[in-house]
Amino acid sequence: MSIIDIISILGEQGMIWRIAQAKQRFSEMIKAATKEPQLIYNREQLVVAVIEAEMFQEFLAWRDRKEKASLADAFRELHQLMAEENYILEIPSRQDRPHHFVDVLNDLSV
């Protein structure tokens, strides 16, 4: 179903607008946005959604909650989980291991 079909089904009462319609009836579109999002299309492609301010504020709050956590946040969460589970991370003792680059440098210096 194309946008033209949707527009003809919804008619002027619907929430879908063409850019020219939205320009001509801007005030009406803004008033309608207080009831439901108004979608503006250009050549069958959605380009803008006009929504009420409260819905936009809710979106911003949601986006802030969903932002990617930092590595420090992940480590804090891990530390908290380990404390809750009374888990102790056992770290093996440090051991030297062969380092071939150092061996090559030692061979060159002789």
Side-chain angles (χ1 to χ4, degrees):
M1 179 177 288
S2 73
I3 188 62
I4 305 301
D5 297 331
I6 294 170
I7 290 171
S8 65
I9 291 169
L10 292 176
E12 295 182 5
Q13 309 303 319
M15 60 181 229
I16 295 178
W17 303 78
R18 293 187 196 131
I19 291 178
Q21 289 176 314
K23 284 180 184 179
Q24 291 171 351
R25 298 168 49 198
F26 184 76
S27 296
E28 184 181 334
M29 181 193 58
I30 295 300
K31 287 177 188 171
T34 62
K35 294 182 179 90
E36 63 183 348
Q38 303 298 301
L39 307 177
I40 302 173
Y41 283 79
N42 184 24
R43 296 190 181 125
E44 299 190 25
Q45 184 173 16
L46 179 65
V47 291
V48 176
V50 179
I51 59 173
E52 65 176 328
E54 185 178 331
M55 186 181 289
F56 181 66
Q57 293 299 328
E58 289 173 9
F59 164 75
L60 292 177
W62 172 84
R63 187 183 66 181
D64 289 344
R65 287 190 310 271
K66 294 293 181 183
E67 279 186 354
K68 199 173 202 179
S70 69
L71 184 58
D73 293 335
F75 277 121
R76 258 191 301 280
E77 182 180 354
L78 178 61
H79 187 268
Q80 181 180 358
L81 289 171
M82 289 174 61
E84 290 171 2
E85 296 292 323
N86 201 20
Y87 181 83
I88 298 174
L89 182 63
E90 295 182 24
I91 302 173
S93 61
R94 185 178 170 98
Q95 297 178 5
D96 288 338
R97 59 184 183 196
H99 196 289
H100 299 292
F101 182 69
V102 172
D103 293 340
V104 170
L105 288 178
N106 287 336
D107 289 344
L108 289 176
S109 63
V110 175

